Amino acid sequence: MPMGEDIHLTPPRAGTARGGLAAPDLAPSEMGSAETDQAWIAVIQKMDEAYAELVSQQVELEAKNAALEEAQGFIAGLLGAMTDVLVACDLSGRVEQVNLAAERAFGQRAEALVGRPLAELIHGASPTSAADVLDTMASRARIADREFSLATPEGPLPVAVNGALRFDPRGRAVGIVLVGRPIGELKQAYSDLASAHEHLKRTQQPLVHAEKMASLGRLVAGVAHELNNPISFVYGNAHALKRYVDRLMRYLDAVPAEGAAATAARAELRVDRALADIPSALAGMLEGAERVRDIVADLRRFSSDQRGAREPFDLAAVVRSAVDWVAKSQMPDLEVQVALPDDFETIGHPGHIHQVVMNLVQNAVDAMEGQSAPRLDISGSRTADRLVLEVRDSGTGIPTEVVDRVFDPFFTTKPVGKGTGLGLSICYRIVAEHEGRLTVENAAGGGAVATLALPAAGGRP
């Protein structure tokens, strides 16, 4: 229709309406005007409906666009915050997307990396190549902790890579996503974890030992207290009885037997033999009482926990006590040779050193278990400022694979319930607190030898 011409709406013929229905009888002018208004009203309603639908679709589209922008921003934030290198490739091995960490690692912007073959980003000496990645995608497998070397401006960068296939909404594989962490960071993390674990063990070890020894000390102190009273009674009465017997024997010697009946009674009762045996019996009683008294003193010294108290004491007496407590009681057929100098006095805490020596003797006895002719040699020497004690056994020695670990915390080759439970690591710490030195090694002629060096009393520390 030419522009500028008037538009005329032709009313439908009389007797008809939209849809072919019969219209009511109206005058021609009235019928045309009414139908025209109805037609315009219908058009306007349709336009309103279409506009409302367009507005609804626009609102929905804007909401979806906002959600999409939010999702894209979230993903971009995640990629930017990642410290691991991320590279997404298609099925042909071409880079489709990288994150900020990858840009830093390769020294290039994402625009320069996208579209490049993955092989150009992997160093030629890499343990895992781009071809291996393509083979992994072809077999629909995953990449788990594989070592790669990335080609960076600073040289090959070793990374531990994990990778998984990427799928489209229809479930079809469209590529692979590779995430790599520099191995240097992993090693540092493992090193920090190992250091924390060792610190925890070192912290826990003294606590366990302190609690164990505190409980044992209370028990031993109670036993020593209970033993001390009857032993003191026996010891004191034995001395009194010795004095009384000496007086009676002198009296009997001074009073001669009178008459045949007295002589016969003296012979029948073997009075002379009894008088001769009384001194040795009393001596044995006193020796036993003194021995028990010494044991009680050792128990008290063993149970004391005065860490700050340092005093001179005879190391030879401590060694002999440890041998009596451990070696002779556990292995009666053990041949023990003890050769210590007369002046073998050190300074420190006698209870703690007693624990150390007991543990060294216990380890030697355990090493000789089952042998036909076990032998324990204990020797000592002294310099101007040092005492050196050696405990040597005739066992099989220390296995080569554990000889460097004997002082590690909680390390043991003994079954549960065997030994003193003190541990060479705690012995090493106790000796170090006494400004001494403890070593354990295999002896040249077989067996093992433990060497304990302590400051000499009166010498230079």
Side-chain angles (χ1 to χ4, degrees), residues 224-243:
H225 176 73
E226 294 299 326
L227 286 177
N228 189 57
N229 291 333
I231 292 305
S232 299
F233 177 78
V234 172
Y235 187 71
N237 287 341
H239 275 285
L241 181 61
K242 184 176 182 301
R243 293 194 302 270

Side-chain angles (χ1 to χ4, degrees), residues 240-376:
L241 181 61
K242 184 176 182 301
R243 293 194 302 270
Y244 298 156
V245 169
D246 290 340
R247 295 176 188 176
L248 290 174
M249 291 179 64
R250 289 198 303 269
Y251 173 76
L252 292 175
D253 290 339
V255 178
E258 297 180 356
T263 302
R266 182 165 185 158
E268 180 181 358
L269 298 175
R270 300 179 182 178
V271 174
D272 295 332
R273 182 175 179 179
L275 292 176
D277 290 342
I278 284 177
S280 60
L282 285 174
M285 183 186 301
L286 287 173
E287 182 181 357
E290 290 174 354
R291 175 63 189 139
V292 175
R293 183 191 61 182
D294 293 340
I295 291 176
V296 171
D298 290 340
L299 287 173
R300 286 180 168 178
R301 183 167 55 247
F302 179 84
S303 63
S304 63
D305 193 27
Q306 302 173 1
R307 297 182 180 274
R310 296 286 183 99
E311 61 183 50
F313 64 93
D314 186 9
L315 184 58
V318 171
V319 172
R320 293 188 180 93
S321 174
V323 171
D324 290 338
W325 281 27
V326 179
K328 293 183 179 180
S329 62
Q330 295 188 14
M331 192 173 287
D333 59 340
L334 175 64
E335 180 183 356
V336 182
Q337 295 292 333
V338 179
L340 301 174
D342 294 333
D343 184 11
F344 208 52
E345 193 173 73
T346 185
I347 187 169
H349 194 291
H352 291 177
I353 298 302
H354 190 273
Q355 297 172 29
V356 172
V357 177
M358 277 187 61
N359 192 75
L360 298 181
V361 175
Q362 181 69 64
N363 287 341
V365 171
D366 292 340
M368 295 182 290
E369 186 175 1
Q371 290 191 346
S372 57
R375 178 184 175 89
L376 178 64

